[in-house]
Amino acid sequence: MQVLITGVAGFIGYHLAQRLLKEGITVYGIDNLNDYYDVQLKHDRLAQLKSQPTFTFQFLDLSDKEGMSQLFKSHSFDCAINLAAQAGVRYSLINPMAYVDSNLTGFVNVLEGCRHSGIKHLVYASSSSVYGANTKIPFSTSDNVDHPVSLYAASKKANELMAFTYSHLYNLPTTGLRFFTVYGPWGRPDMAYFKFVKAIESGQPIDVYNFGNMQRDFTYIDDIVEGLVRVMHRPPAALADLNSSEVAKKAPYKLYNIGNNQPMSLLRFIEVIEQALGKEAKKNLQPMQPGDVPITYADVEDLMHDVGFKPDTPVELGITRFVDWYRTYYNAD
């Protein structure tokens, strides 16, 4: 089996590639290695992957139409997993075109490649951000998500709509996974938990938004990878949802939430980090930021029903593992 992973030098892409390689699956990874965050971290992830004989890397940007077309013409992938995207809610307020290039134009190039090369299954990253400021909890994939509060969220909702269209028109099996606040070793430096650990470790204050009155469904990276692998091996079939419209019934298309199903308050989360570090945080309480939402909470019943799995790693364990990795990687005391 040969699997294409886009964004392979990223946090989730790296961990997924490691898991598939251990299972004897051939992995072809692409990434544009952009400088949205520390490029050295991406190179260090890649170095671990490149040492394995069944891994191949190509420097390629999703928005490169010709390059993407040639990629799919030159290889016979059984499955494509699209994890490449311009991430981050706040950055979308500063640099919106980065989201258009990667998350919209880039995703169309992925869809076109899959369509013309006979890919058996496209799995792609969506986000809990599509739920916007929805107040009904837990968030369900059957909820209305027509009111995103950031361009990042809108681009992920657009991905879901684009994937459905290709499933409907070209019978391309697609599965979208709405990730809920993923964290863990080798994580993204732009994420709050990473910033908190870095600041607390060095004695710097941390910015705590909405005065700490937020809740997040923090999901450990190993749980995300387990869900991805299980879903990857289970392409959706038409007529999967008999309650849907006639058009939807005929499309091999599926959406899942993948979250820990246990929201934790931001202040409690900071306490967990303090305990893992053995240091106290200096908190700089701030108001809610544009694009933020007060709570994320995943309903994972569909995932449990279809693939027999739900994330369950306790945040206390996950943060301890992250802190151990952080101190090792950065040679901290």
Side-chain angles (χ1 to χ4, degrees):
M1 186 176 187
Q2 183 167 217
V3 174
L4 169 68
I5 300 178
T6 73
V8 75
F11 173 34
I12 300 174
Y14 159 76
H15 280 280
L16 176 63
Q18 288 281 43
R19 167 71 181 271
L20 296 182
L21 290 166
K22 286 178 183 174
E23 294 186 359
I25 292 172
T26 299
V27 174
Y28 196 100
I30 67 170
D31 204 294
N32 69 356
L33 299 172
N34 69 37
D35 61 359
Y36 170 64
Y37 63 77
D38 182 15
V39 178
Q40 187 58 51
L41 182 59
K42 299 181 182 183
H43 282 293
D44 290 343
R45 293 179 187 134
L46 266 184
Q48 295 200 12
L49 297 174
K50 286 179 176 178
S51 66
Q52 302 179 63
T54 53
F55 176 77
T56 303
F57 175 72
Q58 179 180 346
F59 178 83
L60 182 62
D61 194 304
L62 290 193
S63 63
D64 179 351
K65 181 180 177 182
E66 293 305 317
M68 289 294 292
S69 177
Q70 191 58 43
L71 170 72
F72 282 96
K73 287 178 182 176
S74 303
H75 300 86
S76 297
F77 302 119
D78 298 290
C79 177
I81 302 181
N82 185 57
L83 300 172
Q86 179 57 60
V89 169
R90 293 189 187 98
Y91 187 62
S92 67
L93 305 175
I94 302 167
N95 188 2
M97 292 311 297
Y99 294 77
V100 174
D101 293 341
S102 181
N103 301 7
L104 300 179
T105 302
F107 192 61
V108 170
N109 289 336
V110 171
L111 288 167
E112 279 289 286
C114 291
R115 168 196 171 192
H116 290 293
S117 63
I119 289 278
K120 300 181 182 73
H121 191 194
L122 167 63
V123 181
Y124 62 95
S126 186
S127 168
S128 62
S129 66
V130 300
Y131 291 106
N134 283 15
T135 55
K136 172 186 162 291
I137 54 174
F139 297 156
S140 168
T141 53
S142 63
D143 294 343
N144 183 290
V145 289
D146 290 339
H147 302 95
V149 294
S150 70
L151 183 63
Y152 170 68
S155 73
K156 286 301 185 179
K157 169 63 175 174
N159 286 172
E160 296 176 0
L161 295 172
M162 293 151 76
F164 176 82
T165 303
Y166 272 70
S167 294
H168 166 65
L169 290 175
Y170 309 114
N171 205 38
L172 170 66
T174 67
T175 302
L177 289 172
R178 292 174 175 171
F179 297 142
F180 281 69
T181 316
V182 189
Y183 73 100
W186 294 98
R188 280 173 30 206
D190 64 309
M191 296 287 284
Y193 71 93
F194 203 118
K195 291 180 177 179
F196 289 165
V197 168
K198 181 179 180 180
I200 297 169
E201 186 79 326
S202 60
Q204 299 299 310
I206 60 174
D207 289 333
V208 181
Y209 296 117
N210 198 27
F211 308 103
N213 298 317
M214 290 201 284
Q215 295 183 69
R216 289 291 180 269
D217 210 342
F218 297 102
T219 313
Y220 189 60
I221 182 61
D222 289 1
D223 289 334
I224 292 289
V225 169
E226 180 66 29
L228 272 165
V229 172
R230 293 196 185 206
V231 165
M232 181 187 82
H233 290 296
R234 191 183 183 279
L239 300 173
D241 186 352
L242 298 177
N243 294 318
S244 296
S245 69
E246 289 304 313
V247 171
K249 285 179 186 178
K250 298 174 183 177
Y253 169 88
K254 191 69 181 179
L255 276 176
Y256 294 106
N257 287 330
I258 182 160
N260 210 41
N261 194 230
Q262 295 182 55
M264 178 177 281
S265 75
L266 187 55
L267 291 177
R268 171 58 188 150
F269 185 64
I270 293 168
E271 283 181 8
V272 172
I273 292 175
E274 290 173 321
Q275 290 163 5
L277 288 169
K279 297 181 180 181
E280 189 172 340
K282 302 170 185 174
K283 304 181 188 73
N284 181 21
L285 300 180
Q286 299 283 316
M288 181 81 99
Q289 300 294 292
D292 269 356
V293 296
I295 184 171
T296 63
Y297 182 0
D299 180 336
V300 293
E301 287 303 312
D302 285 354
L303 186 71
M304 185 68 186
H305 177 269
D306 289 355
V307 301
F309 172 74
K310 61 179 287 188
D312 61 1
T313 301
V315 171
E316 292 79 3
L317 175 59
I319 285 296
T320 297
R321 289 175 178 171
F322 173 75
V323 167
D324 289 345
W325 168 82
Y326 180 91
R327 285 177 161 167
T328 301
Y329 183 78
Y330 292 102
N331 298 311
D333 294 330

